[in-house]
Amino acid sequence: MAENTLRHLAIIMDGNGRWAKERGLRRTKGHEAGIETVRKVTEFCAEDPEIETLTLYAFSTENWKRPKMEVDYLMHLLEKYIRVEQPRYMEYDIRFETIGDMSPFSSKLLRTMEETKALTRGNSRLTQILALNYGGRDEIVRAVRHCLEAGEIPDEAGIGRHLDTPYIDVDLMIRTSGEQRLSNFLLWQLSYTELAFTDTYWPDFDVVELRSIVDDFKRRQRNYGGI
Ligand code: FPP
């Protein structure tokens, strides 16, 4: 039997807070440690010739409900990560993209994101997409609205065209930290996705475990509703 191809990997990076709490640290320390995992996982994907897209759930539309201090810290961390990462995006030939409603973000964060998108536009080995202020239902509603505004019929192809990124099916979605929910992530793109859940907290997640999840995915039977 032929192995499945992994072109698009999506990850819900969960468990930073619990990782920190178990060590008697502030939650923000968990997010800081999570950055290192983001880096290692992104490098892993850039070095795998099959993987074209990596989408990471970095901030959901619901995450604004967290204490202001944590939200502010996450914003600071994000801006710093994207800025510091620029040479690595160039070294690994990675294109940086985002999905979600960017309108509430600070001008500093928006500027860094725009600058990084422009800098990496020509890179083609891997596209790293950060989902920021992202909600799957919100994305679908906005796509339907754009479709109607353009005078198009909101059928599958029409809605697909107006999603935040041109419609790319996700082959494998991983969620860390033991939670087994989609939490409003890529609802449209996950329709036929293989799902994998691990108890490991995001800061402890490593490429050895990722390799084993990917190998398991390759052996799965994917029927897409057929037999
Ligand atoms: C979930 O852990 C994680 C987040 C809400 C944010 C993810 C952010 C990072 C991994 C760091 C920044 C990311 C980038 C791309 C720079 P949680 O806080 O919900 O953990 P808990 O469920 O244990 O409380």
Side-chain angles (χ1 to χ4, degrees):
M1 194 181 70
E3 285 194 332
N4 297 313
T5 307
L6 178 57
R7 291 199 181 86
H8 188 180
L9 171 66
I11 306 182
I12 300 179
M13 310 179 287
D14 201 1
N16 294 348
R18 279 163 285 166
W19 181 91
K21 196 170 168 215
E22 281 184 8
R23 286 161 178 76
L25 301 169
R26 288 170 193 264
R27 293 176 54 81
T28 48
K29 285 285 168 204
H31 298 314
E32 223 173 274
I35 294 275
E36 226 12 75
T37 311
V38 171
R39 231 169 237 140
K40 283 188 262 177
V41 166
T42 303
E43 279 175 22
F44 172 95
C45 293
E47 282 168 350
D48 185 322
E50 218 173 73
I51 305 175
E52 295 165 6
T53 309
L54 169 68
T55 302
L56 300 169
Y57 207 2
F59 195 85
S60 75
T61 44
E62 287 72 36
N63 286 152
W64 297 106
K65 292 183 206 149
R66 296 183 176 211
K68 184 174 180 308
M69 184 257 186
E70 183 172 338
V71 170
D72 287 350
Y73 189 80
L74 273 170
M75 294 299 143
H76 157 77
L77 214 55
L78 263 169
E79 196 279 330
K80 188 171 154 200
Y81 165 78
I82 299 166
R83 186 165 33 82
V84 168
E85 219 55 14
Q86 287 179 353
R88 212 181 296 248
Y89 286 134
M90 299 315 287
E91 183 191 340
Y92 283 87
D93 196 17
I94 298 168
R95 185 169 152 218
F96 169 78
E97 268 303 331
T98 58
I99 50 173
D101 175 8
M102 301 292 129
S103 54
F105 293 124
S106 72
S107 51
K108 187 177 179 191
L109 178 54
L110 289 175
R111 225 180 9 254
T112 302
M113 289 195 288
E114 284 318 311
E115 187 187 290
T116 311
K117 284 180 194 176
L119 176 75
T120 64
R121 190 158 292 144
N123 293 352
S124 58
R125 170 68 283 287
L126 175 79
T127 302
Q128 183 208 54
I129 303 176
L130 295 190
L132 294 165
N133 191 30
Y134 174 86
R137 287 185 179 177
D138 175 61
E139 183 187 21
I140 295 168
V141 169
R142 283 187 288 112
V144 172
R145 203 170 278 148
H146 290 151
C147 217
L148 293 171
E149 280 164 8
E152 297 170 20
I153 301 163
D155 56 11
E156 264 197 44
I159 295 171
R161 264 197 306 279
H162 288 278
L163 293 170
D164 288 352
T165 51
Y167 177 18
I168 331 169
D169 267 320
V170 176
D171 298 299
L172 172 66
M173 197 285 293
I174 301 171
R175 183 171 189 153
T176 58
S177 90
E179 307 298 338
Q180 303 197 1
R181 292 186 290 277
L182 295 182
S183 300
N184 208 7
F185 186 44
L186 300 174
L187 297 181
W188 184 278
Q189 298 86 337
L190 289 178
S191 300
Y192 289 100
T193 300
E194 295 294 324
L195 306 177
F197 299 97
T198 167
D199 288 340
T200 309
Y201 294 146
W202 179 248
D204 285 334
F205 189 68
D206 61 18
V207 294
V208 175
E209 186 169 9
L210 177 55
R211 177 84 269 158
S212 125
I213 293 174
V214 169
D215 288 346
D216 173 71
F217 157 82
K218 284 176 178 286
R219 291 189 295 267
R220 289 191 196 180
Q221 178 93 29
R222 301 185 81 190
N223 292 331
Y224 300 97
I227 50 168

